[in-house]
């Protein structure tokens, strides 16, 4: 019998919207994500082993992560209107 186990992250999407990406310099969709490490059995997260990480902003165009401060005065609704 083979038992596959280990530790791995599980990401959670906290929020989404649009912002002007510092790298792309255009309005792109972003996701605010947090991550938490879990004990995994057969690749299924079972038991959390660490605390949740601080939220980060991921640009959906270039896939770069930024601190949450990048959204200060740089946040748009999904239809493109400023917040």
């Amino acid at each position: 019998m083979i038992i596959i186990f280990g530790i791995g992250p599980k990401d959670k999407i906290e929020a989404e919207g649009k912002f002007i990406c510092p790298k792309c310099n255009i309005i792109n969709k972003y996701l605010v994500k947090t991550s938490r490490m879990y004990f995994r059995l057969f690749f299924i997260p079972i038991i959390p082993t660490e605390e949740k990480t601080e939220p980060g902003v991921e640009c959906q165009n270039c896939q770069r992560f930024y601190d949450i401060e990048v959204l200060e005065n740089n946040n748009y609704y999904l239809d493109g209107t400023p917040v």
Side-chain angles (χ1 to χ4, degrees):
M1 182 164 116
I2 298 175
I3 298 177
I4 300 173
F5 62 92
I7 295 177
K10 180 180 176 186
D11 294 334
K12 181 178 179 185
I13 298 172
E14 302 286 343
E16 63 181 303
K18 289 188 175 184
F19 76 134
I20 298 175
C21 176
K23 182 180 184 302
C24 303
N25 290 321
I26 58 173
I27 295 179
N28 289 322
K29 186 176 177 186
Y30 70 82
L31 298 175
V32 176
K33 291 184 175 183
T34 57
S35 182
R36 192 171 191 181
M37 296 298 281
Y38 277 81
F39 173 77
R40 294 173 175 258
L41 183 61
F42 294 106
F43 306 104
I44 300 170
I46 305 291
I47 302 169
T49 59
E50 294 181 9
E51 293 296 318
K52 192 172 12 172
T53 61
E54 292 294 319
V57 178
E58 180 186 27
C59 175
Q60 295 300 290
N61 187 41
C62 64
Q63 305 300 316
R64 289 198 178 210
F65 272 90
Y66 301 100
D67 288 333
I68 200 79
E69 288 85 28
V70 78
L71 296 179
E72 231 173 85
N73 300 322
N74 184 17
N75 200 358
Y76 299 87
Y77 291 112
L78 289 175
D79 65 359
T81 59
V83 172

